[in-house]
Amino acid sequence: MPGWKKIIAGALNVARQYVQTQAPPQQESPRPASRPAPQQTEPQRTEPRPTPQRTSNDYPGDFTGRPTLTYAPQEDGRPDPGEVVWTWVPYEEDPAQGKDRPVLLIGSDGRWLLGLALTSQDHDRDAAQEASQGRYWMDIGTGPWDREGRPSEVRVNRIIRIDPDGVRRTAARLDERRFAAVAREVRQHYGG
């Protein structure tokens, strides 16, 4: 049965890649006037790129050491620590599968970028349940990475390795104050 899962996951990735290369770029809808403008500055946006097809051998596993957290966003169109990017994130239970989602870049490990997954789901309501499953989240507010302007949370105890060539686009630069708050939470889980 696990063989079928890999075949289906591969077919879905091929279909997703085809759709992304065939679909016209979507225009961002303007923010409603009643919402305050986000406090972060937006780096030079990069054009979305197709998500490359993944195999179980592509992902070396989550980073488990003590990370060197870095805030170094630059206006160069390349992914840098301190920026929120859209990229493929492997599932914990099966790294051969995953989904495209926003990620806060926090550093690097050799050729890999290190990042933390973002979600628009509110885990404040189920924090005890999430903690019992080993997942810890922190509110980081709103930003242009979410087209609907929803508040986001970042998972502070799972550091994902990201292939820089797999980053589809840079969505925003997180302000240094919020990055420092995230870094404090990450250090509580990884030491330092």
Side-chain angles (χ1 to χ4, degrees):
M1 193 64 156
W4 284 106
K5 288 183 180 179
K6 287 183 181 179
I7 291 170
I8 292 170
L12 288 173
N13 282 333
V14 169
R16 183 180 321 124
Q17 185 176 4
Y18 176 79
V19 168
Q20 289 173 342
T21 59
Q22 300 301 314
Q26 295 182 359
Q27 298 293 322
E28 287 198 34
S29 57
R31 291 189 174 273
S34 61
R35 275 185 205 233
Q39 294 180 332
Q40 67 281 342
T41 60
E42 292 188 42
Q44 175 184 350
R45 288 184 181 243
T46 55
E47 288 299 313
R49 294 184 291 202
T51 303
Q53 185 174 357
R54 308 286 181 191
T55 66
S56 59
N57 296 331
D58 288 343
Y59 188 65
D62 292 351
F63 182 82
T64 57
R66 181 180 294 173
T68 300
L69 303 170
T70 308
Y71 183 80
Q74 297 184 19
E75 301 285 335
D76 59 4
R78 294 181 309 210
D80 301 304
E83 295 175 347
V84 176
V85 300
W86 277 85
T87 191
W88 182 85
V89 175
Y91 294 138
E92 278 183 283
E93 13 356 288
D94 182 2
Q97 298 184 51
K99 73 184 220 179
D100 202 49
R101 66 179 317 127
V103 172
L104 171 61
L105 299 178
I106 60 168
S108 62
D109 177 39
R111 74 173 202 87
W112 298 93
L113 295 168
L114 299 178
L116 306 171
L118 273 63
T119 183
S120 58
Q121 294 181 20
D122 184 3
H123 289 293
D124 289 344
R125 295 174 287 168
D126 62 352
Q129 177 185 349
E130 285 291 295
S132 73
Q133 298 296 313
R135 296 184 293 258
Y136 297 90
W137 300 88
M138 174 186 169
D139 293 325
I140 61 166
T142 61
W145 55 84
D146 186 280
R147 291 181 184 209
E148 296 176 31
R150 297 172 292 191
S152 294
E153 294 185 8
V154 61
R155 181 161 173 199
V156 295
N157 73 320
R158 180 185 182 209
I159 300 177
I160 303 157
R161 285 189 176 104
I162 299 163
D163 182 344
D165 293 332
V167 172
R168 286 196 324 100
R169 71 178 172 99
T170 302
R173 173 188 293 177
L174 195 67
D175 64 79
E176 198 165 1
R177 178 187 57 79
R178 286 194 282 180
F179 185 89
V182 170
R184 281 191 299 276
E185 289 292 318
V186 170
R187 286 187 189 106
Q188 287 186 359
H189 293 280
Y190 288 91

